[in-house]
Amino acid sequence: MVMINETQVKKDLYKSKNMAKFSHYVSGNLYYQVDLEDGTYQFPIETVEESEWTYTKLILSEDLGTTTFSAEIRGSELARWISKAIKAETFIKVG
């Protein structure tokens, strides 16, 4: 397994100005894909902190704040969530 260098990913994002593209939403996670020098990566953004499947209790992630998540957004603007995904090993190469 190849370790992903968080610093290098951030440098690539700021240098390339590549756009991250929304892929899908499932189980409380937004999934985006972003192209880097060595391929395409996918990562989740958690939207729910806690939920009970009775739909009576749903706590949205405080980390989202008032961020607008569009179909395309500059990858560098999602650096905070990309860092979290790298640390959680959910920043996955898909292409």
Side-chain angles (χ1 to χ4, degrees), residues 6 9-10 78-88 91:
E6 182 180 345
V9 169
K10 287 182 180 181
L78 299 177
R80 133 198 263 157
W81 293 283
I82 290 171
S83 292
K84 284 184 173 191
I86 291 170
K87 289 174 184 149
F91 190 72

Side-chain angles (χ1 to χ4, degrees), residues 17-73:
K17 298 183 175 139
N18 285 348
M19 300 296 282
K21 296 173 182 72
F22 176 74
S23 173
H24 61 285
Y25 176 89
V26 66
S27 298
N29 293 309
L30 298 168
Y31 285 87
Y32 277 87
Q33 293 185 355
V34 65
D35 293 326
L36 298 178
E37 285 181 356
D38 68 333
T40 301
Y41 288 80
Q42 178 174 284
F43 60 97
I45 297 175
E46 295 179 5
T47 63
V48 178
E49 296 271 334
E50 182 180 325
S51 68
E52 292 179 12
W53 292 108
T54 59
Y55 298 102
T56 58
K57 183 179 181 183
L58 182 69
I59 299 172
L60 298 178
S61 175
E62 289 184 21
D63 192 34
L64 299 177
T66 58
T67 305
T68 300
F69 294 97
S70 302
E72 286 190 325
I73 186 169

